[in-house]
Amino acid sequence: MTVLRTPAPNTGLADFLARADKEREARGEDPLPARPADAVLTLLALRGADRRTGVPEPTARLLGPVLHEDLPVLLWGTPEEVDAVPEILAALAGRLRADGRLNAKRHARLLTAIEEAVPEFRRAMADPWNLTWPRWYASLLRADGVDAGDPDAVRAWLAAHEDTPHADRPALPAPLHRSDVAARTFAVRVRLGEALLAAFARDVEAPSPAGPLLPGLLLDADRPDEELPAELERVAAALGDRWTAAGLGEALAEPDGPHAALAPGPESIPHFALADRLLGEQLDYYGDATRPLPPPPEPPAPDRIRALLHAAPLPAALAAGSGDVPPAIAERCFTGPAAAVWADGTPEELTDLAADVLAAVVEDVGATSGSEYALDAAHLLYALYERGGTPDSVVRKAAESGGLPVDPDLEDAPVPVPDGGPDGRPYAMPSRDRLPALLGVPAPDLDDLVEPADLEAHARALAEVVDRLAATGCVFRAGDAYGLTPLGGAVVRRVLTAGHVAAPGDEEISEWEAAEVVAAVGSWPERTAADALTRWTAGRGVTAWGELLGAVEAAKAADFHGVDTAGLFARLALAAVPAEALRGALTHPATGARAHRLLAARGEAAPRDAERVPQDARAVLTLEELDDHRHRDLRARPPAAGAAEPDAGARALPGAFDAAASHWPGGARALAGALVRADRDTARDVMDALAAHHPDPEVATLAEHTVKALRRTNAGKRRDRWRPRS
């Protein structure tokens, strides 16, 4: 049976436009544009609008989905066409009023609903995140004056565009990546297909008095289920052409469309899957994709990307068609337009190509390597980027995975790279005398914690994965040190941002407010954070340092537990915060004592500086230090056999409290009160530990009473909060 290939949905479009235009002509108004009217009526009908009058009837419930979800991804309209959409809906409402389907009150409510929905509609139509490949190319060809209704003209424009050097093609609007548009296009295609299938079901099960919405779907009675999906796909492509540009659907269709390379789908972008995995890593680490990662050191200039990629062993072999390259990698990332990108791609496209190669290798390692780290290749890339791109140690990373405890203070410490850099030699574990310093494990304890042969086996397994990643040019290994290359830093950042992980570059960071800088650098490696602080203040003068110190004060005052003041001041110290800015911060009630301590440590404190520090700030600093002693006591040594905690003799907290109390005006009792005022929760934890372990009964009793008073106060607050109304 013959199938209608160019469907015209039964929406009453021609009759609607004829009646509306006659009324508009009588008022001296221009006719309504047919293309957006077709889209509005069809999408209302696909959403299930009643068609008994011959046209889909808009309702307040349908306006949001059609205006805010459907039209912004399916229709490319000129400004005049977009402006006409509310008029089209108002004309529909008027048609229903004239046909007796709406009384005056309901008609007025519908017009009000249309008016209220319009601002969000305009925003959504302009939102770059709603861009699909058909909408993108429709906008470009129309900007070039091409008749979007002429399929031959559209095909000619696409051919010319594909022949245009990559560097001369218009770039996608920031911050979009190819993967964003590919994913959006795929999602829209799926959603439209589902809407068409639902409409077909309604035509069969609950036909409208106006007739079927999708006429002409004449399926072979012997194989209707097999033919229906393909028919609906053709209908969807035809509708897309009606609302963007004629012939786009067939020209861009994967995999056989003549210009499919211009509109890659998610499966055609290998680094799309890697971006998703790196997003998963970010969420595992921080639970928040918007928490900024540190920028990699020494990012390559855009004009260096080509040379770095061409110098990488695996990409060069792929470009040369070497038979030594695994076929799966060649087929995955170096087919179709890759050769053109290799030859004349823009820096952005070359970075994407490098990302595709890296992603293909990550997949290949997972599928073919027998290493215990084969499935961790994406994690290794994320972890290197998350530490600011600073080199790590193979044996230290292997020790963490092998269950050997590593000093937490060393986990993010950079590892020196041997002179000469990578040499291609097989991995050899560092000499045993270097391991204590690398791992932070005392030499006498090393033999009790791990067998050297076991540790070396873990390290060699990790080095195998690192070396396979190194073939991409994105990773290096030199002896025991490994890390991201400058190309790798740019590529991993590209993949992270494709997955919508916050991975700002220096230019973006330079535009941040001081509070944003402080919130970010607290979790970055110290040297990386210090460099970022220095660059942010460059050209801004002492005022900028004062803004940073003010942001630290505000953050600490708002979240005592969440802000590591000691860590932030360590980063400020590395960044050489000026003494003038520190003196301006001496009066801060939460961090003034920290500022004075840094001045004193640098030998720059004046005699009168100490007098300017508020007692509240001294209490905050003292509480932070006591809480740090508490944590160190808990980690100091494992409990004795049968004991729940380390013995009291191992504790430094009691001595630290006594030392602080000896200099505090009013002694231990006054200090306890000051600590409570600084932060109740932290003070309770410290006092709990002192009550349990301080050798002086008087101090232990004071701590116990302080804790009880805090608990009573908290209980009273809870009772007040939930007291029933009388």
Side-chain angles (χ1 to χ4, degrees):
M1 301 178 76
T2 303
V3 177
L4 186 63
R5 301 299 185 185
T6 55
N10 180 16
T11 60
L13 175 66
D15 177 63
F16 165 72
L17 287 176
R19 289 178 58 173
D21 291 348
K22 185 176 181 180
E23 294 171 2
R24 292 174 66 85
E25 184 180 9
R27 296 195 298 266
E29 298 172 351
D30 292 334
L32 291 173
R35 205 160 55 87
D38 177 34
V40 168
L41 268 63
T42 302
L43 291 169
L44 282 170
L46 289 177
R47 286 283 183 177
D50 193 325
R51 293 187 296 112
R52 72 184 64 189
T53 62
V55 294
E57 300 183 4
T59 63
R61 179 183 62 82
L62 292 175
L63 288 176
V66 170
L67 289 178
H68 304 158
E69 301 173 24
D70 298 339
L71 285 170
V73 295
L74 288 166
L75 171 70
W76 189 89
T78 64
E80 294 76 17
E81 288 173 325
V82 172
D83 288 343
V85 167
E87 298 179 48
I88 293 166
L89 288 166
L92 267 177
R95 163 80 174 263
L96 297 178
R97 173 79 173 119
D99 290 348
R101 296 286 294 167
L102 293 177
N103 60 28
K105 189 172 183 180
R106 291 176 60 203
H107 179 242
R109 281 204 301 264
L110 181 56
L111 292 178
T112 299
I114 293 170
E115 184 179 355
E116 291 174 348
V118 165
E120 175 60 20
F121 163 69
R122 294 188 185 282
R123 186 208 64 77
M125 288 296 294
D127 188 346
W129 295 107
N130 284 327
L131 198 62
T132 62
W133 289 126
R135 293 186 75 232
W136 171 239
Y137 289 117
S139 70
L140 294 184
L141 63 89
R142 284 169 179 272
D144 286 346
V146 177
D147 180 0
D150 182 348
D152 292 333
V154 170
R155 281 192 291 269
W157 182 90
L158 288 170
H161 183 77
E162 194 158 22
D163 288 339
T164 302
H166 288 257
D168 296 333
R169 297 179 188 176
L172 290 170
L176 294 183
H177 296 79
R178 288 185 309 145
S179 56
D180 296 316
V181 184
R184 193 63 163 159
T185 303
F186 178 77
V188 169
R189 187 180 301 132
V190 169
R191 197 166 75 196
L192 181 57
E194 291 172 345
L196 287 166
L197 181 60
F200 175 79
R202 286 194 298 271
D203 281 348
V204 173
E205 298 169 3
S208 168
L213 175 64
L214 303 175
L217 292 181
L218 304 179
L219 305 175
D220 190 321
D222 295 330
R223 297 182 301 165
D225 292 345
E226 295 178 17
E227 292 187 4
L228 182 60
E231 292 304 314
L232 292 182
E233 283 185 19
R234 277 190 278 271
V235 173
L239 291 176
D241 284 3
R242 291 159 71 99
W243 302 335
T244 54
L248 276 183
E250 182 180 353
L252 301 178
E254 287 194 304
D256 301 323
H259 303 293
L262 292 176
E267 289 299 316
S268 300
I269 305 176
H271 72 262
F272 187 83
L274 181 58
D276 193 55
R277 293 182 66 180
L278 295 189
L279 171 61
E281 292 285 339
Q282 170 83 356
L283 296 177
D284 285 345
Y285 268 60
Y286 298 112
D288 181 2
T290 64
R291 180 164 178 166
L293 294 175
E298 301 178 5
D303 59 5
R304 285 280 298 151
I305 296 291
R306 183 185 310 279
L308 293 173
L309 180 60
H310 284 199
L314 179 59
L318 286 165
S322 171
D324 295 332
V325 176
I329 295 179
E331 293 170 6
R332 185 86 174 100
C333 63
F334 221 88
T335 56
V341 171
W342 177 269
D344 68 355
T346 64
E348 181 179 273
E349 290 171 326
L350 289 163
T351 304
D352 275 351
L353 177 57
D356 289 343
V357 174
L358 181 61
V361 170
V362 168
E363 288 189 14
D364 188 62
V365 169
T368 64
S369 172
S371 167
E372 64 187 278
Y373 299 95
L375 300 179
D376 291 334
H379 166 74
L380 293 175
L381 294 170
Y382 176 86
L384 286 172
Y385 195 96
E386 190 267 343
R387 54 187 283 120
T390 56
D392 203 352
S393 158
V394 171
V395 71
R396 186 166 67 197
K397 188 73 174 178
E400 295 174 15
S401 302
L404 177 65
V406 174
D407 185 344
D409 292 337
L410 290 178
E411 287 178 359
D412 291 329
V415 175
V417 178
D419 292 339
D423 55 21
R425 289 184 294 187
Y427 179 78
M429 197 168 73
S431 59
R432 192 162 183 76
D433 61 339
R434 286 189 55 209
L435 294 181
L438 269 173
L439 307 179
V441 177
D445 296 341
L446 201 56
D447 291 333
D448 297 334
L449 293 171
V450 66
E451 285 289 337
D454 290 343
L455 182 57
E456 185 164 10
H458 287 302
R460 286 186 180 277
L462 176 57
E464 178 201 331
V465 174
V466 170
D467 289 347
R468 289 182 65 171
L469 293 173
T472 66
C474 294
V475 174
F476 74 87
R477 183 181 64 78
D480 181 62
Y482 75 104
L484 294 176
T485 63
L487 175 64
V491 168
V492 175
R493 177 172 181 251
R494 179 73 173 170
V495 179
L496 285 164
T497 55
H500 306 299
V501 174
D506 287 335
E507 287 188 10
E508 184 178 345
I509 293 171
S510 70
E511 300 298 323
W512 283 357
E513 298 295 330
E516 294 176 276
V517 178
V518 166
V521 301
S523 60
W524 294 359
E526 285 190 357
R527 184 68 268 172
T528 302
D531 291 343
L533 291 168
T534 301
R535 288 192 296 271
W536 189 83
T537 56
R540 287 183 167 97
V542 174
T543 303
W545 291 104
E547 291 175 9
L548 289 173
L549 288 164
V552 175
E553 168 70 16
K556 186 66 178 180
D559 186 1
F560 189 97
H561 282 282
V563 176
D564 177 13
T565 323
L568 285 170
F569 269 83
R571 289 156 173 76
L572 288 163
L574 268 179
V577 53
E580 182 181 348
L582 289 172
R583 286 197 177 88
L586 291 176
T587 57
H588 290 171
T591 58
R594 285 279 180 195
H596 183 261
R597 171 169 289 186
L598 181 51
L599 277 173
R602 298 195 321 201
E604 299 177 56
R608 286 193 158 186
D609 285 343
E611 299 173 6
R612 300 179 57 209
V613 179
Q615 196 72 349
D616 287 350
R618 299 185 189 279
V620 169
L621 175 57
T622 302
L623 181 56
E624 289 177 323
E625 292 181 328
L626 293 177
D627 196 46
D628 183 57
H629 280 296
R630 182 179 70 84
H631 283 289
R632 289 179 180 273
D633 285 345
L634 292 174
R635 297 196 308 261
R637 64 177 67 174
E645 296 185 5
D647 62 275
R651 295 183 175 274
L653 175 60
F657 179 83
D658 291 345
S662 67
H663 297 95
W664 196 266
R669 188 171 300 277
L671 175 58
L675 298 179
V676 169
R677 288 190 295 275
D679 186 73
R680 299 171 62 86
D681 292 338
T682 309
R684 186 182 62 239
D685 293 340
V686 168
M687 290 296 163
D688 246 337
L690 288 172
H693 300 289
H694 200 291
D696 185 338
E698 186 174 340
V699 176
T701 300
L702 169 64
E704 183 180 358
H705 288 169
T706 303
V707 170
K708 287 180 179 179
L710 285 169
R711 287 175 178 160
R712 283 197 301 271
T713 303
N714 287 340
K717 287 182 177 178
R718 286 195 295 272
R719 285 194 297 271
D720 289 344
R721 187 180 301 123
W722 296 106
R723 181 178 297 148
R725 294 179 180 177
S726 56

